[in-house]
Amino acid sequence: PYPTVTFLVLALISLTVLALAFAIVAATMLQASSGPVSVHQVLATTRRRWLPLLAWSFGLVLVVTLGLALYVLPGLLVLAITPYLLLAVVDGQRRPLAVNFQVIRARWGRWLITVIAVAVVALVVWLLSVVTGFFIAGFGGAVIGWLGLGLVSSWLICAWALVYRTVVPRSAR
């Protein structure tokens, strides 16, 4: 698509909705990784953190897009070395980038295993979406694909949140 005004407005709306959905899922997973989940607390956390999350998400999208525009590996490397960045923003950390690298340094083995698992899961999800799109066309295939992607994404966010919580306890906010 050409970068028209309509396209850019819709892209910003899409990013905003995606960041809001991520904030709700991430707040839920961060709570679940250290105890019971309260819907009120999830919504309060989301309400307090969604503007900083939107800003950090926009910056991350720009950096990853620039990396992918140069070549595939720089963009994937940026994604691989910033898995805890947005979780730290949702968690209310003052220096989320520093917290991201603190978690990687403290749990580098778990980080590496999770990065490899994410790569394998992404490949499998991509292959399944191709097969689903081929055999189940139209609205039904899209619904199945997006529901599957949402479930897998929630599971992966939970995996990252569990590793994150082993380094940054809930009371450290």
Side-chain angles (χ1 to χ4, degrees):
Y2 295 105
T4 62
V5 173
T6 306
F7 175 77
L8 293 176
V9 167
L10 291 175
L12 287 174
I13 290 171
S14 179
L15 179 67
T16 304
V17 170
L18 186 62
L20 188 61
F22 176 82
I24 292 170
V25 172
T28 303
M29 296 305 170
L30 285 169
Q31 280 188 28
S33 65
S34 59
V37 176
S38 162
V39 174
H40 176 70
Q41 185 65 32
V42 167
L43 294 177
T45 300
T46 302
R47 196 175 313 113
R48 281 192 314 271
R49 310 272 193 253
W50 82 274
L51 282 175
L53 178 67
L54 186 60
W56 278 97
S57 298
F58 185 73
L60 187 60
V61 165
L62 286 178
V63 172
V64 169
T65 303
L66 179 64
L68 291 172
L70 294 173
Y71 188 65
V72 175
L73 291 179
L76 294 179
L77 183 64
V78 169
L79 287 174
I81 64 171
T82 57
Y84 307 108
L85 176 66
L86 298 180
L87 285 173
V89 173
V90 171
D91 199 29
Q93 299 296 324
R94 290 188 184 270
R95 297 175 52 218
L97 197 58
V99 171
N100 174 70
F101 290 117
Q102 173 192 354
V103 174
I104 290 173
R105 268 193 312 276
R107 299 286 186 266
W108 66 269
R110 291 182 185 179
W111 166 79
L112 186 60
I113 289 169
T114 310
V115 166
I116 293 169
V118 166
V120 170
V121 167
L123 179 66
V124 169
V125 166
W126 178 75
L127 289 172
L128 287 175
S129 69
V130 168
V131 170
T132 303
F134 182 76
F135 289 112
I136 306 172
F139 180 74
V143 167
I144 291 170
W146 281 108
L147 285 175
L149 184 64
L151 289 172
V152 170
S153 297
S154 296
W155 177 72
L156 291 174
I157 293 170
C158 184
W160 289 117
L162 288 170
V163 176
Y164 174 84
R165 273 292 178 235
T166 64
V167 177
V168 182
R170 190 173 189 172
S171 60
R173 289 187 268 169

